[in-house]
Amino acid sequence: MPIVLNGTTGDISGSSLTGIDTGKILQAVQTIKTDSFSTTATSMTDVTNLSVNITPSSTNSKILVTASIDAYVQKTSSYNASAFFIVVRDTTALSGVHMRCRVDNSMTCNYINAGGNAVLIYLDSPNTTSQVTYKIQCTNWGGSHTTTVNGQANNTYYAKSTIVAQEVAA
């Protein structure tokens, strides 16, 4: 399939595309969470050690936030168990980025784990050149249960969760 640039069809191999800087990654920062976190909270709570700071170089820059969270919900009652994860810029919850684990309350036993890997991706426009913090928060919904990030066995952490912020030129 030919490539079309400015109405001209042709092969751009060996050509130099100058002046096209949009979409270029200007910087990237990452935090890797290796410890465990558990909560029974029913309001949004910061997941400890799962945040990242970035200072955009331009007010026009976008920030691509990607998080991978190893998590599970432990059902300990006859209620449904759900966990919600969101990405937050400073104190602003960013919409459209949540994960839900659910255990159906029709199960006959009262001790069940459900979970997996929550992947959150959000392209933000912070409109600032000041440092911003992106963090992950979670909450439990339903009856009595616990949400855990990075479970452990025999004092050894097998999972790691990450959050990455990349500045993208506008």
Side-chain angles (χ1 to χ4, degrees), residues 69-75 81-83 85 99-103 112-118 146-149:
I69 307 158
D70 180 77
Y72 67 89
V73 178
Q74 181 181 46
K75 176 185 170 185
S82 297
F85 292 89
M99 175 269 220
R100 181 174 75 165
C101 296
R102 182 175 179 193
V103 180
I112 299 171
N113 290 328
N117 192 33
T146 302
T147 297
T148 299
V149 173

Coordinates of all heavy atoms in Angstrom, one line a residue, residues 69-75 81-83 85 99-103 112-118 146-149:
I69 N -1.6 -3.7 37.4 CA -1.8 -3.9 38.8 C -2.2 -5.4 39.0 O -3.2 -5.8 38.5 CB -2.9 -3.0 39.4 CG1 -2.6 -1.6 39.0 CG2 -3.0 -3.2 40.9 CD1 -3.8 -0.7 39.1
D70 N -1.3 -6.1 39.7 CA -1.7 -7.5 40.1 C -2.6 -7.4 41.3 O -2.1 -6.9 42.4 CB -0.4 -8.3 40.4 CG -0.7 -9.7 40.8 OD1 -1.0 -10.5 39.9 OD2 -0.7 -10.0 42.0
A71 N -3.8 -7.8 41.2 CA -4.7 -7.7 42.4 C -5.7 -8.8 42.5 O -6.0 -9.5 41.5 CB -5.5 -6.4 42.2
Y72 N -6.2 -9.0 43.7 CA -7.3 -10.0 43.8 C -8.2 -9.5 45.0 O -7.9 -8.7 45.8 CB -6.9 -11.4 44.1 CG -6.1 -11.6 45.4 CD1 -6.8 -12.0 46.5 CD2 -4.7 -11.6 45.4 CE1 -6.1 -12.3 47.7 CE2 -4.0 -11.8 46.6 CZ -4.8 -12.2 47.7 OH -4.1 -12.4 48.9
V73 N -9.5 -10.0 44.9 CA -10.5 -9.7 45.9 C -10.8 -11.0 46.6 O -11.0 -12.0 46.0 CB -11.8 -9.1 45.3 CG1 -12.9 -8.9 46.3 CG2 -11.5 -7.9 44.5
Q74 N -10.8 -10.9 48.0 CA -11.1 -12.1 48.8 C -12.5 -11.9 49.4 O -12.7 -11.0 50.1 CB -10.1 -12.2 49.9 CG -10.3 -13.4 50.8 CD -9.2 -13.4 51.9 OE1 -9.0 -12.4 52.5 NE2 -8.7 -14.6 52.0
K75 N -13.4 -12.8 49.0 CA -14.8 -12.7 49.5 C -14.8 -13.5 50.8 O -14.4 -14.6 50.9 CB -15.7 -13.4 48.5 CG -17.1 -13.5 48.9 CD -18.0 -14.3 47.9 CE -19.3 -14.6 48.5 NZ -20.1 -15.4 47.7
A81 N -18.3 -9.3 45.9 CA -17.1 -8.6 46.2 C -16.5 -8.0 44.9 O -16.3 -8.7 43.9 CB -16.1 -9.6 46.8
S82 N -16.3 -6.7 44.9 CA -15.8 -6.0 43.8 C -14.7 -5.0 44.2 O -14.8 -4.5 45.3 CB -16.9 -5.2 43.0 OG -17.9 -6.1 42.5
A83 N -13.7 -4.9 43.4 CA -12.7 -3.9 43.7 C -12.6 -3.0 42.4 O -12.7 -3.4 41.3 CB -11.4 -4.5 43.9
F85 N -10.3 0.1 40.6 CA -9.1 0.8 40.6 C -9.2 2.0 39.6 O -9.7 1.8 38.5 CB -8.0 -0.2 40.0 CG -7.6 -1.2 41.0 CD1 -8.3 -2.4 41.0 CD2 -6.7 -1.1 42.0 CE1 -8.0 -3.5 41.9 CE2 -6.4 -2.1 42.9 CZ -7.0 -3.3 42.8
M99 N -11.1 -1.0 37.0 CA -11.2 -2.5 36.8 C -12.0 -3.0 37.9 O -12.0 -2.5 39.0 CB -9.8 -3.1 36.9 CG -9.7 -4.6 36.8 SD -9.8 -5.3 38.5 CE -8.7 -6.6 38.3
R100 N -12.8 -4.0 37.6 CA -13.7 -4.6 38.6 C -13.5 -6.1 38.6 O -13.6 -6.8 37.6 CB -15.1 -4.2 38.3 CG -16.1 -4.8 39.4 CD -17.5 -4.3 39.1 NE -18.1 -5.0 38.0 CZ -19.4 -5.0 37.7 NH1 -20.2 -4.3 38.5 NH2 -19.8 -5.6 36.7
C101 N -13.3 -6.6 39.8 CA -13.3 -8.1 40.0 C -14.6 -8.4 40.8 O -15.0 -7.6 41.6 CB -12.1 -8.5 40.9 SG -10.5 -8.3 40.2
R102 N -15.2 -9.5 40.4 CA -16.5 -9.8 41.1 C -16.6 -11.3 41.4 O -16.2 -12.1 40.5 CB -17.6 -9.4 40.2 CG -19.0 -9.6 40.8 CD -20.1 -9.1 40.0 NE -21.3 -9.4 40.8 CZ -22.5 -9.4 40.3 NH1 -22.7 -9.0 39.0 NH2 -23.5 -9.7 41.0
V103 N -17.1 -11.6 42.5 CA -17.4 -12.9 42.9 C -18.9 -13.0 43.1 O -19.4 -12.2 43.9 CB -16.7 -13.3 44.2 CG1 -17.0 -14.7 44.6 CG2 -15.2 -13.1 44.1
I112 N -13.6 -17.0 49.0 CA -13.2 -17.2 47.6 C -12.4 -16.0 47.1 O -12.6 -14.9 47.6 CB -14.5 -17.2 46.7 CG1 -15.4 -18.3 47.1 CG2 -14.1 -17.3 45.2 CD1 -16.8 -18.3 46.4
N113 N -11.3 -16.3 46.3 CA -10.5 -15.2 45.8 C -10.8 -15.1 44.3 O -11.0 -16.1 43.6 CB -9.0 -15.6 45.9 CG -8.6 -15.5 47.3 OD1 -9.1 -14.7 48.1 ND2 -7.6 -16.3 47.7
A114 N -10.9 -13.9 43.8 CA -11.0 -13.6 42.4 C -10.1 -12.5 42.0 O -10.0 -11.5 42.8 CB -12.5 -13.2 42.0
G115 N -9.5 -12.5 40.9 CA -8.6 -11.4 40.6 C -7.9 -11.6 39.3 O -8.2 -12.5 38.4
G116 N -6.8 -10.9 39.1 CA -6.0 -11.0 37.9 C -5.2 -9.7 37.8 O -4.8 -9.1 38.8
N117 N -5.0 -9.3 36.5 CA -4.2 -8.1 36.3 C -5.0 -7.0 35.7 O -5.7 -7.2 34.7 CB -3.1 -8.5 35.2 CG -2.0 -7.5 35.1 OD1 -1.7 -6.8 36.1 ND2 -1.5 -7.3 34.0
A118 N -5.1 -5.9 36.4 CA -5.8 -4.7 36.0 C -4.9 -3.9 35.2 O -3.8 -3.5 35.7 CB -6.4 -3.9 37.2
T146 N -11.7 -8.1 51.2 CA -10.4 -7.5 51.2 C -9.8 -7.5 49.8 O -9.9 -8.5 49.1 CB -9.4 -8.2 52.1 OG1 -9.9 -8.3 53.4 CG2 -8.0 -7.6 52.1
T147 N -9.3 -6.3 49.4 CA -8.6 -6.2 48.1 C -7.1 -6.2 48.4 O -6.7 -5.4 49.2 CB -9.0 -5.0 47.3 OG1 -10.4 -5.1 47.0 CG2 -8.2 -4.8 46.0
T148 N -6.4 -7.0 47.6 CA -4.9 -7.1 47.8 C -4.2 -6.8 46.5 O -4.6 -7.3 45.5 CB -4.5 -8.5 48.4 OG1 -5.1 -8.7 49.6 CG2 -3.0 -8.6 48.5
V149 N -3.2 -6.0 46.5 CA -2.3 -5.8 45.4 C -1.0 -6.4 45.7 O -0.4 -6.3 46.8 CB -2.1 -4.2 45.2 CG1 -1.1 -4.0 44.1 CG2 -3.4 -3.6 44.8

